């Protein structure tokens, strides 16, 4: 059984969970039906749909009263002129938060990575109040572990928080937080984790979510699919319970969850509220 401090930490991050969604035709209706307006929603960017789909959905959700965080994938932005236009567009719609990953696409212009775009955002006057960057608890296939921590250090002047990439190993979360804090990276963290997903629905998403060809998506995420779809495999409850001691560390700085919903939006909100109910009982 988790300690009181660990339980309190789990309750805190569940209360401050935000949902990552994919810009599909049904996403807006799903959110309106199942998710209260006090939830923060992040909208991914996919090379096949382009940034327009991300920004269009973000603007519509903002109009409904959600706090929305569009992904501005660096490699999908051509240059500072386009970046300035993006800033004007989003700020003009009341969007003050963005998430800046490098992105999966080949660079279309001047930004080969997130840092180069973040530097231009600073040159444009830092128009956004919240800027998230990616953290990698697990090894990145193309970047050495020390370099991923170094990258967070390099980007710390331009970002307000770190969003951790998916991992299924709570022990890695503790060691990654420790390495980051020991290195002097003090930004708050949002802990990335998958929401509850149905195996058939998860597989069906490969043809719907617009992140490239379905085979490319399956290859990229095959480990995630295997862990989520396996009988008796990953559950959010077990994951958070095992993360509890790390979340309760005095300098952990984990202020919420970043839940990858795979557009299983109703299921994710039901899971979060039920887990909160049980922990508060």
């Amino acid at each position: 059984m988790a300690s009181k401090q660990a339980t309190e930490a789990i309750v805190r991050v569940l209360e401050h969970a935000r949902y990552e969604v994919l810009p599909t035709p049904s996403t807006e209706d799903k959110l309106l039906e199942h998710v209260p307006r006090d939830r923060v929603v992040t909208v991914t960017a996919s090379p096949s749909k382009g940034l327009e789909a991300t920004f269009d959905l973000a603007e519509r959700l903002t109009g409904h009263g959600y706090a929305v965080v569009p992904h501005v994938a660096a490699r999908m932005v051509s240059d500072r002129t386009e970046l300035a236009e993006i800033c004007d567009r989003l700020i003009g719609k009341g969007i003050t938060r963005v998430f800046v990953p490098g992105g999966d696409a080949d660079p279309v212009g001047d930004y080969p990575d997130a840092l180069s775009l973040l530097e231009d955002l600073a040159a444009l006057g830092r128009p956004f109040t919240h800027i998230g960057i990616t953290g990698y608890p697990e090894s990145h296939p193309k970047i050495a572990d020390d370099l991923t921590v170094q990258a967070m250090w390099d980007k710390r002047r331009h970002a307000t928080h770190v969003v951790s990439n998916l991992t299924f190993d709570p022990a890695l979360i503790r060691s990654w937080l420790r390495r980051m804090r020991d290195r002097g990276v003090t930004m708050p963290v949002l802990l990335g984790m998958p929401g509850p997903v149905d195996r058939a629905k998860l597989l069906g998403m490969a043809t719907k979510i617009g992140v490239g060809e379905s085979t490319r998506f399956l290859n990229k995420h095959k480990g995630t699919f295997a862990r989520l779809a396996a009988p008796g495999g990953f559950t959010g409850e077990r994951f958070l319970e095992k993360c509890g001691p790390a979340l309760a560390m005095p300098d952990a700085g984990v202020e919420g969850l970043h839940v990858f919903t795979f557009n299983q939006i109703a299921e994710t909100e039901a899971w979060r509220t039920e887990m909160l109910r049980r922990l508060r009982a």
Side-chain angles (χ1 to χ4, degrees), residues 99-268:
F99 176 63
V100 182
D104 295 328
D106 292 329
V108 299
D110 294 344
Y111 303 121
D113 51 35
L115 178 59
S116 54
L117 187 142
L118 290 167
E119 289 171 340
D120 269 6
L121 274 180
L124 290 169
R126 305 179 187 272
F128 299 105
T129 58
H130 293 77
I131 299 177
I133 58 173
T134 307
Y136 296 96
E138 292 192 2
S139 295
H140 188 284
K142 297 181 180 179
I143 310 173
D145 288 352
D146 287 345
L147 292 180
T148 63
V149 175
Q150 178 67 45
M152 283 187 288
W153 174 260
D154 294 339
K155 290 183 278 192
R156 77 194 187 285
R157 292 176 291 114
H158 307 301
T160 57
H161 58 275
V162 176
V163 179
S164 71
N165 212 355
L166 276 179
T167 180
F168 297 95
D169 187 346
L172 282 178
I173 294 296
R174 187 183 189 99
S175 63
W176 175 67
L177 288 169
R178 185 75 276 132
R179 286 174 56 228
M180 203 169 40
R181 300 318 185 199
D182 288 348
R183 182 67 183 271
V185 178
T186 59
M187 286 180 288
V189 169
L190 294 170
L191 175 62
M193 64 172 290
V197 289
D198 174 83
R199 178 188 175 111
K201 289 181 179 178
L202 187 65
L203 293 173
M205 286 306 298
T207 59
K208 297 177 183 176
I209 65 175
V211 291
E213 296 300 322
S214 58
T215 50
R216 174 176 171 272
F217 178 76
L218 286 167
N219 284 333
K220 178 184 174 187
H221 295 279
K222 57 189 176 184
T224 300
F225 274 74
R227 293 295 295 271
L228 293 176
F234 176 88
T235 70
E237 291 87 344
R238 278 203 304 270
F239 177 74
L240 285 177
E241 286 168 3
K242 291 181 179 179
C243 285
L247 302 179
M249 292 189 304
D251 62 345
V254 179
E255 62 178 20
L257 300 177
H258 182 99
V259 185
F260 297 85
T261 68
F262 298 97
N263 275 24
Q264 305 305 292
I265 292 165
E267 296 87 343
T268 300

Side-chain angles (χ1 to χ4, degrees), residues 43-55:
V43 184
T44 62
S46 71
S48 64
K49 286 184 178 290
L51 290 173
E52 178 59 33
T54 297
F55 299 156

